[in-house]
Amino acid sequence: MTASLPPAVRRLIGATLVNTFGNGVYAAVGALYLTRVAGLSVGHVGIGLTIAGLVGLVASTPLGVVADRLGPNRAYVGFLVLQAITMSALTQVRSFLPYVVVAGITAIADSGQRGAKGALIAGLSPSDQRVRTRAILRVTTNIGMGAGMAVAGVVLAVDRREVYVAALLANAATYVITAALVRFGMPEVKKVSSATGPSGLTALKDRPFLAFVALDGVLSMHNAMAQIAIPLWVATATDAPRWLISVLLVINSVAVILLQLRVARGTEHLPGAARAGRRAGVLLAGACVVLALTDVTSGAVTVGLLIVAALVHVLGEMLQSAGGWGISFELAPPGAQGQYQGAYAMGHQVGDLVAPLILTTIAVTWGWPGWLLTATIFLLTGALLPIAVRRHPHWPTAEPFVQLPATTPASANPIR
């Protein structure tokens, strides 16, 4: 899988594995640490995360400019070190205000490292290998997160303050190790000075690109759909056993590990990436239609339909991811990969903020009419995305021939 990649990219894959292992540990224990050890209420945790999300959203594009100006390597290492500091500081949080401060700085560091990492990928990989590199890194992320969550089971089983603290410090250590792997032995991607590079507002003035970012953000609601809406739907609106929720999540993760690379083929260029976005909208809409059917079915039929919905959903999810990577890389002018990757992340950040409310209110609460309305949203968004991208000056006048892989469960077995 990685043999044909440059050595620096292989090193980045190893660094990502270390980083996401630590993230997986924290993903499993973080909420319980904040409520059981730090003593925060669930409401305070939710408010803090919302504030942090807004801070990260506002900071995303400006921090991408920082990555362009300092150089992606230095910026990425700096933001990783800042994340290590904030994760360590979290072990000292005992009240709401310090938590908000730490969460806000963490959001800044997280937004900064996303843009810097995107620019680093663009600088280390040949242009026709960038999407493939992102796909491999996504597979690596799923593996690392899964391993981290599995190890976190020990922490949850022991359920003692000092063990939770050790888990957070271990996550902080993975940031430091990741920074060291990036800093030493990896070639420097050239920085772009403000005198010779694009304006720091280039991405925010690029209307076709911002239209793509907004549409891609709507499609990215599939994250909340998989992690929040579908589990709630299974538990509250169907007669399916609740253990099926875990099965559906495993199907998602395994599918990404097995198929993300294959699904990403053909999205290295704008026409193929735009088609992937349109197909993603169709597939995500199809998953919603299948979920709507489970409102009136029962027993084994419901279980079967839920599994079909999970398979169709994850194929749409993988196409949306691959298409978004290809478009975000290809629309960025030379010297502006950092700010364009930062702006690209804004769509996902907005989606993560609003999707839980929208999906729980419309799909889960309204039942089958809500799922059909959600399907319509995905379908229209996917149809509009290629139109927005074609309006960009970077759209090729002669489209290269690219062939996307078949996107049905019969031809492929499916997976932040």
Side-chain angles (χ1 to χ4, degrees):
M1 180 172 71
T2 63
S4 61
L5 294 173
V9 173
R10 295 201 294 268
R11 192 177 186 89
L12 183 59
I13 292 169
T16 299
L17 185 63
V18 173
N19 187 204
T20 54
F21 173 81
N23 290 343
V25 173
Y26 182 73
V29 307
L32 285 179
Y33 169 80
L34 292 171
T35 53
R36 292 174 64 83
V37 178
L40 300 175
S41 68
V42 173
H44 279 165
V45 172
I47 293 171
L49 290 175
T50 301
I51 294 172
L54 293 172
V55 169
L57 174 64
V58 172
S60 190
T61 303
L63 292 176
V65 178
V66 171
D68 290 327
R69 298 293 182 260
L70 288 181
N73 302 68
R74 292 183 181 181
Y76 189 34
V77 168
F79 289 125
L80 286 169
V81 171
L82 183 56
Q83 285 182 300
I85 294 171
T86 57
M87 184 57 58
S88 301
L90 196 59
T91 64
Q92 304 304 311
V93 165
R94 296 293 181 272
S95 59
F96 177 62
L97 185 57
Y99 167 61
V100 171
V101 173
V102 171
I105 298 174
T106 300
I108 291 173
D110 184 61
S111 290
Q113 67 89 12
R114 288 173 188 265
K117 188 174 184 179
L120 189 61
I121 293 168
L124 295 176
S125 305
S127 60
D128 62 348
Q129 290 294 310
R130 291 169 178 171
V131 172
R132 180 169 181 261
T133 299
R134 286 295 296 257
I136 293 173
L137 290 174
R138 189 174 189 222
V139 172
T140 304
T141 295
N142 271 39
I143 295 172
M145 290 285 291
M149 289 179 180
V151 171
V154 178
V155 178
L156 297 174
V158 176
D159 195 29
R160 294 177 60 178
R161 179 186 181 280
E162 56 269 27
V163 180
Y164 283 109
V165 170
L168 266 62
L169 292 176
N171 186 26
T174 64
Y175 287 119
V176 175
I177 296 171
T178 303
L181 290 172
V182 174
R183 175 65 182 85
F184 302 105
M186 188 172 290
E188 289 280 337
V189 175
K190 186 178 179 180
K191 63 182 179 180
V192 181
S193 69
S194 58
T196 60
S199 162
L201 297 176
T202 300
L204 297 180
K205 293 179 180 178
D206 190 337
R207 292 184 180 179
F209 178 74
L210 292 179
F212 151 70
V213 168
L215 294 167
D216 189 69
V218 174
L219 290 179
S220 75
M221 291 197 304
H222 62 67
N223 291 319
M225 182 175 162
Q227 298 170 13
I228 299 173
I230 292 178
L232 286 176
W233 179 255
V234 172
T236 63
T238 76
D239 63 351
R242 293 194 175 185
W243 53 259
L244 186 64
I245 295 172
S246 295
V247 173
L248 299 179
L249 291 172
V250 169
I251 287 174
N252 186 282
S253 295
V254 172
V256 170
I257 293 171
L258 295 178
L259 290 179
Q260 182 65 79
L261 271 171
R262 179 176 179 179
V263 172
R265 292 174 188 165
T267 60
E268 301 86 0
H269 305 288
L270 281 176
R275 284 194 291 272
R278 183 178 65 237
R279 294 183 181 187
V282 172
L283 286 167
L284 292 172
C288 292
V289 171
V290 176
L291 288 167
L293 295 175
T294 64
D295 200 13
V296 294
T297 60
S298 61
V301 174
T302 297
V303 171
L305 287 175
L306 289 171
I307 292 174
V308 169
L311 291 170
V312 176
H313 169 278
V314 75
L315 287 169
E317 174 185 330
M318 289 186 288
L319 276 172
Q320 182 270 332
S321 296
W325 299 330
I327 293 169
S328 65
F329 282 132
E330 289 292 300
L331 294 188
Q337 282 290 351
Q339 65 167 296
Y340 268 69
Q341 291 302 311
Y344 166 57
M346 288 171 55
H348 288 248
Q349 289 169 318
V350 172
D352 290 343
L353 281 173
V354 304
L357 177 62
I358 292 175
L359 291 175
T360 55
T361 300
I362 295 178
V364 178
T365 303
W366 292 4
W368 67 264
W371 281 116
L372 294 183
L373 177 57
T374 305
T376 303
I377 293 172
F378 280 131
L379 191 63
L380 289 176
T381 302
L384 290 172
L385 191 144
I387 296 174
V389 178
R390 286 193 192 101
R391 293 178 56 224
H392 200 279
H394 287 187
W395 182 265
T397 54
E399 299 185 14
F401 175 77
V402 290
Q403 183 172 355
L404 288 172
T407 55
T408 61
S411 60
N413 301 318
I415 145 183
R416 281 165 15 188

